[in-house]
């Protein structure tokens, strides 16, 4: 691979992005950057402080004053820190999932996050997943993928995940939350969820992570968009 070997993975909630991105990073010895976790960490802090989530300038100021760090522990687990507090578990709470899109649509918040994300990707050896990575954060990434799956499948995956973590939610609630979130993410004015024209579209419905990884690696070894 060339010096900029960054891999951008975008797609709606529950399409399998984080599972795939994590495995891929491990396989390639790349750094995995979960940009959704960064927006979640900020949403978590805003909720904890009781901020008004429609107050765009308040949220932008909060983003400027917040230190978000991603690191991998010795067992290979991805940890998320917000102002040096480990928020890895808390940012997956349903309350954060329900509200994160409101925080993520604020232009000032996005500006700050994108700046941090570009800095993290400067090594040229990252797998970054999110909504606007191929279109906006890393437009020059040589390898771009857009993962999707049917709404039913995405809701089922999220539901299983949440159930395993002990959250009391119903499949219908999860489906509704994902539907609403996709709507807000795709309709927002700044860097909405959209497939980059040169990204390879992969429908992961019915595919195993290994099958998806194989498709991605085949494309990367074939030279990406070049
Ligand atoms: O990937 P996730 O479900 O953890 O992301 C949480 C939210 O963050 C998602 O609803 C939209 C937002 N997000 C974004 O706007 N841009 C990104 N690059 C990543 C996530």
């Amino acid at each position: 691979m060339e010096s900029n070997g960054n891999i951008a993975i975008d797609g709606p909630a529950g399409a399998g992005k984080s599972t795939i991105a994590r495995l891929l990073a491990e396989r390639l010895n790349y750094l995995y950057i979960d940009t959704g976790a960064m927006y979640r960490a900020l949403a978590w802090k805003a909720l904890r402080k009781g901020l008004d989530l429609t107050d765009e300038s308040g949220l932008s100021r909060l983003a400027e004053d917040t230190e978000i760090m991603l690191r991998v522990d010795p067992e290979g687990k991805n940890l998320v820190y917000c102002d040096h507090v480990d928020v890895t578990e808390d940012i997956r709470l349903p309350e954060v999932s329900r509200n994160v899109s409101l925080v993520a649509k604020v232009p000032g918040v996005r500006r700050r996050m994108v700046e941090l994300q570009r800095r993290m990707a400067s090594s040229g050896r990252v797998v970054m997943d999110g909504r606007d990575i191929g279109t906006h954060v890393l437009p020059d990434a040589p390898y771009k993928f857009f993962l999707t799956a049917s709404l039913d499948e995405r809701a089922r995956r999220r539901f299983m995940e949440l159930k395993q973590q002990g959250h009391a939610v119903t499949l219908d609630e999860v489906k509704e939350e994902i539907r609403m979130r996709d709507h807000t993410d795709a309709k927002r004015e700044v860097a909405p969820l959209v497939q980059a024209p040169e990204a390879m579209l992969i429908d992961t419905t019915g595919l195993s992570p290994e099958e998806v990884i194989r498709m991605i690696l085949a494309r990367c070894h074939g030279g990406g968009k070049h």
Side-chain angles (χ1 to χ4, degrees):
M1 286 186 185
E2 55 199 278
S3 58
N4 177 2
N6 286 335
I7 300 177
I9 301 185
D10 291 299
K17 300 185 301 291
S18 57
T19 305
I20 299 300
R22 192 175 317 112
L23 289 170
L24 203 57
E26 236 173 66
R27 202 73 60 92
L28 296 169
N29 200 17
Y30 270 31
L31 189 64
Y32 165 47
I33 299 169
D34 175 356
T35 62
M38 299 170 71
Y39 291 99
R40 282 173 179 272
L42 196 67
W44 172 84
K45 184 172 170 184
L47 287 166
R48 219 176 54 138
K49 283 178 150 291
L51 289 195
D52 172 4
L53 298 188
T54 60
D55 173 10
E56 300 211 340
S57 47
L59 288 170
S60 302
R61 271 198 308 278
L62 186 77
E64 293 295 334
D65 290 342
T66 302
E67 201 177 317
I68 294 172
M69 227 181 68
L70 305 178
R71 54 172 283 256
V72 185
D73 78 1
E75 279 94 58
K77 188 175 171 216
N78 291 89
L79 302 177
V80 185
Y81 289 84
C82 183
D83 297 329
H84 306 282
V85 178
D86 183 348
V87 294
T88 312
E89 309 286 331
D90 284 1
I91 60 169
R92 305 291 159 195
L93 290 170
E95 195 198 358
V96 174
S97 300
R98 269 196 309 275
N99 289 289
V100 60
S101 287
L102 287 175
V103 174
K105 74 182 185 141
V106 176
V109 166
R110 301 201 70 81
R111 244 190 327 271
R112 169 81 178 137
M113 295 297 155
V114 170
E115 182 191 312
L116 294 174
Q117 290 156 8
R118 288 188 179 145
R119 219 177 291 157
M120 290 176 183
S122 59
S123 67
R125 293 173 59 85
V126 304
V127 181
M128 190 177 278
D129 81 356
R131 304 292 189 286
D132 59 340
I133 311 306
T135 49
H136 184 63
V137 181
L138 304 177
D140 297 331
Y143 311 107
K144 298 183 183 180
F145 300 90
F146 194 89
L147 266 46
T148 185
S150 69
L151 177 61
D152 278 338
E153 171 117 355
R154 294 189 287 118
R156 218 171 17 247
R157 288 177 188 162
R158 265 297 143 92
F159 173 66
M160 298 303 287
E161 233 172 64
L162 288 167
K163 228 172 63 170
Q164 263 170 20
Q165 292 163 5
H167 297 296
V169 285
T170 67
L171 181 58
D172 278 347
E173 280 166 1
V174 176
K175 194 164 160 181
E176 184 54 18
E177 176 243 298
I178 284 188
R179 213 183 49 73
M180 297 266 301
R181 199 139 63 91
D182 285 349
H183 180 81
T184 316
D185 294 342
K187 297 285 174 234
R188 71 173 172 234
E189 275 174 30
V190 185
L193 166 67
V194 64
Q195 183 185 341
E198 66 277 28
M200 177 183 178
L201 175 67
I202 303 179
D203 185 340
T204 67
T205 313
L207 295 181
S208 68
E210 193 48 45
E211 287 170 311
V212 178
I213 299 269
R214 228 177 293 141
M215 292 165 84
I216 291 182
L217 287 176
R219 169 81 160 211
C220 291
H221 291 138
K225 71 177 180 188
H226 301 294

